[in-house]
Amino acid sequence: MSKSLQKQTTASGFILPSIHALPPFFTLQLHPPSQASQTAHWTRLILSYARHRRLFTLRLEDAEVPGGEWDEIFHNSRINRRLKPTHLAFLLSTMVEQGQAIWDPPKQNRVVLLHWRLPEEWAEVLHEWATSTGQLNTILTFYEITDPPIDSAMSGIPTSLLRRAISILSKTGRAQIIEGAEGGGVRFFAPSGKP
């Protein structure tokens, strides 16, 4: 295998797949089967990188920011290639269509909230966090969840995603949203049938 096609490790410790070293990977393919394959590779790369770096949002402008949070995957200096904003726009639209992201805020097409964990998965992580930290039957503000004194799986989660996770837990009787003047909060409950 040529040196340029080997997997590379970025400064943040993320391992780039070997396809990242191929110049055509950075050019939107027009042939439908090639485009579908390329899009699937980019989607996996974006979601796994976002999970690695705990990045929740992706903006169209991120394709053009040298040294930005996403530059490690959107730019390959070894082959002098950068993902173009038009290609990223196509990827974002596809990810939204496939349920791997949502436009956030809604009614625009420049910024997405990435689903490297689905809202249903976040709901389970959130309830497990509340249970393991002894927070059942306690009212917590959203701020206390997203910015806890000790880093947790919930640290930094956007409020819109937190609300969706809480809503899922509410439908199963494991949480209740408490609306308040300071942004609201939540009370968690043990699953029904458990003490």
Side-chain angles (χ1 to χ4, degrees):
M1 179 183 291
S2 90
K3 203 170 192 178
S4 65
L5 291 180
Q6 292 177 355
K7 292 181 179 180
Q8 290 277 300
T9 303
T10 68
S12 71
F14 183 76
I15 299 173
L16 293 167
S18 56
I19 195 170
H20 192 265
L22 296 173
F25 187 57
F26 289 84
T27 304
L28 183 60
Q29 300 300 301
L30 300 179
H31 182 57
S34 298
Q35 185 182 82
S37 175
Q38 178 191 45
T39 300
H41 281 290
W42 266 114
T43 299
R44 278 193 302 277
L45 178 58
I46 288 169
L47 292 175
S48 59
Y49 184 75
R51 185 178 195 126
H52 170 77
R53 295 278 314 266
R54 290 192 56 80
L55 301 173
F56 291 95
T57 58
L58 177 54
R59 296 165 184 79
L60 197 53
E61 297 78 35
D62 289 329
E64 298 180 297
V65 180
E69 294 178 315
W70 292 92
D71 201 42
E72 288 184 328
I73 65 168
F74 291 156
H75 179 237
N76 186 331
S77 59
R78 292 176 298 133
I79 58 171
N80 196 27
R81 292 289 189 269
R82 178 175 292 282
L83 187 72
K84 294 187 180 340
T86 52
H87 191 170
L88 182 56
F90 174 80
L91 293 169
L92 296 181
S93 293
T94 303
M95 291 174 74
V96 168
E97 286 170 18
Q98 295 175 349
Q100 296 160 321
I102 59 168
W103 300 115
D104 189 41
K107 299 182 181 173
Q108 52 81 36
N109 62 357
R110 298 188 68 78
V111 182
V112 296
L113 181 63
L114 296 165
H115 286 168
W116 46 269
R117 274 192 179 133
L118 295 173
E120 295 79 10
E121 293 170 311
W122 278 113
E124 295 307 316
V125 169
L126 175 59
H127 196 269
E128 175 57 34
W129 171 82
T131 302
S132 68
T133 57
Q135 304 296 339
L136 297 182
N137 297 312
T138 303
I139 297 175
L140 296 169
T141 65
F142 294 155
Y143 177 78
E144 289 173 307
I145 296 169
T146 63
D147 194 19
I150 298 171
D151 267 354
S152 76
M154 302 311 298
S155 296
I157 186 172
T159 303
S160 60
L161 184 53
L162 178 61
R163 282 185 171 274
R164 289 182 71 196
I166 293 168
S167 175
I168 291 165
L169 291 173
S170 295
K171 291 176 185 171
T172 59
R174 296 185 289 163
Q176 173 189 15
I177 290 182
I178 310 294
E179 295 297 345
E182 296 183 20
V186 61
R187 177 182 290 141
F188 296 100
F189 305 106
S192 55
K194 293 186 181 178

